Amino acid sequence: MTPSTPQTQVFVVANQKGGVGKTTTTVNLAAALARQGVRTLLVDLDPQGNATMGSGVDKATLQCSVYDVLLGLASASTAIVPGSAGYDVLPANRDLAGAEVELVDLESREHRLASSLQALGAGYQMVLVDCPPSLSMLTLNGLCAANGVIIPMQCEYFALEGLSDLVNSIKRVHAGLNKRLQIIGLLRVMFDPRMTLSQQVSEQLERHFGQQVFQTVIPRNVRLAEAPSHGLPGVLYDPSSRGSQAYLAFAQELIDRLGLLPKKAMS
Ligand code: ADP
Ligand code: MG
């Protein structure tokens, strides 16, 4: 991959389990990349709208959301709003819960997000998609729009359970719907180094997935959990906290791995 590739990278942050750190990863990675000068868009595909709120966008007062975009009622450029942390947001709210059913009868229902993002052109270097905790039509839209998947994982006993379902879904989408899709990596989150079990599961992940496990490990850190109530990602709310430092390091690891250079370094 050449560093100056004009193509937009589209990564989904997916794991069909709830509460495993998808949203925290999406907003903090978006903010950390934006801080480095990477033009970033966050797409919220979860009807809970947590990534929307955590990006400083009020989900209750949206004129337009990703729901309208998926159903063809608005263009992505109409629905996108600036967030509080240097990146743009295609926001979500509870309307999106209805999309699951309404999409069923629509043409090319899996590709609605992909087409909408393509229509945006190459304005963004990175698009990060926060997925709901399911392998639903919404997640499928994310996977069809993406070229990469980031899987946040808690290093606990049941973490590996269900991972094969996700990996099989990704393989199916790759085979049938989106040849560009690949797993970028597994990110260990909410890590507690004092727990022997965390260490053991972490080592198990490295053995099974090798290079696909990111080197950066995100520790459990309360500042990351406090940040959303201030409408900010942790990396802006308290940049010096251990959790924020880890997400900043993760962004750098991704930038290095992808040869993704900030705009100012490209000229
Ligand atoms: P998901 O989007 O997968 O449901 P969230 O990102 O919303 O998961 O995280 C679930 C809960 O855990 C939230 O309350 C969040 O603030 C908290 N959390 C996430 N990552 C961390 C972390 N590294 N340290 C402490 N709390 C975290
Ligand atoms: Mg979430």
Side-chain angles (χ1 to χ4, degrees):
M1 194 181 306
T2 55
S4 59
T5 176
Q7 266 189 343
T8 308
Q9 301 278 349
V10 183
F11 290 172
V12 291
V13 179
N15 186 322
Q16 74 274 34
K17 294 190 183 187
V20 294
K22 289 182 291 297
T23 300
T24 306
T25 296
T26 313
V27 298
N28 281 287
L29 180 57
L33 289 171
R35 214 175 103 138
Q36 297 271 36
V38 178
R39 283 164 292 138
T40 303
L41 170 69
L42 181 152
V43 177
D44 191 352
L45 271 191
D46 188 338
Q48 292 183 84
N50 292 346
T52 299
M53 297 294 282
S55 302
V57 176
D58 184 3
K59 65 180 176 182
T61 57
L62 299 175
Q63 298 285 325
C64 228
S65 72
V66 69
Y67 168 83
D68 302 283
V69 174
L70 290 175
L71 292 196
L73 306 171
S75 67
S77 56
T78 312
I80 288 171
V81 290
S84 60
Y87 58 87
D88 287 345
V89 183
L90 178 49
N93 58 22
R94 276 169 47 200
D95 291 347
L96 190 56
E100 201 72 49
V101 174
E102 292 170 58
L103 279 170
V104 169
D105 293 328
L106 296 186
E107 220 176 289
S108 58
R109 55 193 175 175
E110 303 94 348
H111 294 288
R112 313 287 294 194
L113 181 65
S115 325
S116 312
L117 293 180
Q118 269 154 23
L120 272 180
Y124 296 101
Q125 289 169 283
M126 176 62 83
V127 178
L128 292 173
V129 184
D130 187 32
C131 286
S134 61
L135 296 171
S136 61
M137 184 55 70
L138 291 171
T139 299
L140 199 54
N141 261 272
L143 293 173
C144 285
N147 61 294
V149 189
I150 294 172
I151 306 174
M153 307 239 356
Q154 272 179 275
C155 292
E156 56 182 32
Y157 187 65
F158 291 113
L160 292 169
E161 208 182 68
L163 184 58
S164 56
D165 290 341
L166 178 59
V167 171
N168 286 335
S169 292
I170 293 167
K171 282 185 183 156
R172 269 202 308 279
V173 172
H174 179 266
L177 294 165
N178 176 13
K179 273 273 164 278
R180 299 184 317 139
L181 189 67
Q182 53 173 325
I183 295 176
I184 302 298
L186 278 69
L187 177 67
R188 290 163 285 183
V189 298
M190 294 189 233
F191 190 77
D192 184 351
R194 290 164 304 181
M195 279 178 62
T196 314
L197 181 63
S198 288
Q199 298 282 6
Q200 286 171 347
V201 175
S202 175
E203 283 162 18
Q204 204 179 352
L205 279 176
E206 283 174 349
R207 266 201 310 280
H208 277 275
F209 294 94
Q211 293 288 320
Q212 278 187 322
V213 181
F214 290 110
Q215 274 174 11
T216 311
V217 176
I218 312 295
R220 188 173 283 284
N221 178 241
V222 70
R223 304 300 270 170
L224 291 173
E226 289 168 1
S229 65
H230 299 266
L232 283 173
V235 297
L236 259 89
Y237 170 65
D238 183 358
S240 63
S241 65
R242 283 190 315 118
S244 297
Q245 289 293 314
Y247 274 114
L248 291 167
F250 175 48
Q252 192 58 54
E253 183 179 350
L254 256 192
I255 287 172
D256 294 344
R257 210 190 250 216
L258 301 168
L260 188 74
L261 289 182
K263 189 183 171 194
K264 52 180 179 281
M266 287 208 308
S267 52

